[in-house]
Amino acid sequence: MKYLILPLALISTSVFASDTLSKSEKGEVELMLAEAASKLIYLERDCGKPMDKQKFKELAKIKAFSEGFTTIEGISWERVKRKAHKGYGALKIEAPVGELCEQYKADIKGNYRFLKEH
């Protein structure tokens, strides 16, 4: 019986360990989400397409999963927010009067085909 308990304990530990992100993975996920959020901020402010912040967090989980991450637990939403606003500033400099609206709408529709248009 002792011989069976040890392997089971190791397996369960490795399963739980895989549901946490390393420091570098957290940074990678935060950057990926910030890039998406900066485009959504642009769509909201410059294209008149409102963004539901709670829905964004749910979509963030799907986006991270589609990129190979099993979780987004432990990321800093505050860092994502700061990076997103910084990214929005760069987008605003690049396209100050909404020139990227159609491109970003198409990007979102292409990446999240299951979303309904509102």
Side-chain angles (χ1 to χ4, degrees), residues 82-94:
R82 278 195 312 270
K83 289 176 184 178
H85 283 282
K86 186 176 179 181
Y88 167 72
L91 293 175
K92 189 68 174 167
I93 291 169
E94 182 183 333

Side-chain angles (χ1 to χ4, degrees), residues 51-110:
M51 173 179 62
D52 181 342
K53 289 161 185 59
Q54 192 57 38
K55 193 176 285 184
F56 175 76
K57 287 187 177 185
E58 293 300 318
L59 290 174
K61 293 175 187 175
I62 295 169
K63 175 69 174 164
F65 184 73
S66 73
E67 296 292 327
F69 297 97
T70 58
T71 185
I72 60 170
E73 295 301 316
I75 67 165
S76 169
W77 286 106
E78 195 55 40
R79 267 196 301 272
V80 170
K81 183 179 175 180
R82 278 195 312 270
K83 289 176 184 178
H85 283 282
K86 186 176 179 181
Y88 167 72
L91 293 175
K92 189 68 174 167
I93 291 169
E94 182 183 333
V97 291
E99 299 93 337
L100 297 173
C101 290
E102 293 306 314
Q103 177 185 339
Y104 291 159
K105 285 179 187 176
D107 288 350
I108 288 173
K109 193 170 187 169

Side-chain angles (χ1 to χ4, degrees), residues 4-72:
L4 182 60
I5 293 173
L6 184 59
L8 289 176
L10 290 174
I11 290 171
S12 66
T13 304
S14 66
V15 168
F16 288 122
S18 68
D19 282 346
T20 58
L21 297 172
S22 69
K23 187 174 181 176
S24 65
E25 288 174 324
K26 285 179 188 176
E28 189 178 340
V29 170
E30 288 170 1
L31 182 60
M32 175 184 60
L33 297 179
E35 288 173 1
S38 65
K39 291 177 182 179
L40 290 173
I41 294 169
Y42 185 89
L43 282 170
E44 181 176 59
R45 293 183 181 172
D46 297 282
C47 309
K49 184 136 179 90
M51 173 179 62
D52 181 342
K53 289 161 185 59
Q54 192 57 38
K55 193 176 285 184
F56 175 76
K57 287 187 177 185
E58 293 300 318
L59 290 174
K61 293 175 187 175
I62 295 169
K63 175 69 174 164
F65 184 73
S66 73
E67 296 292 327
F69 297 97
T70 58
T71 185
I72 60 170

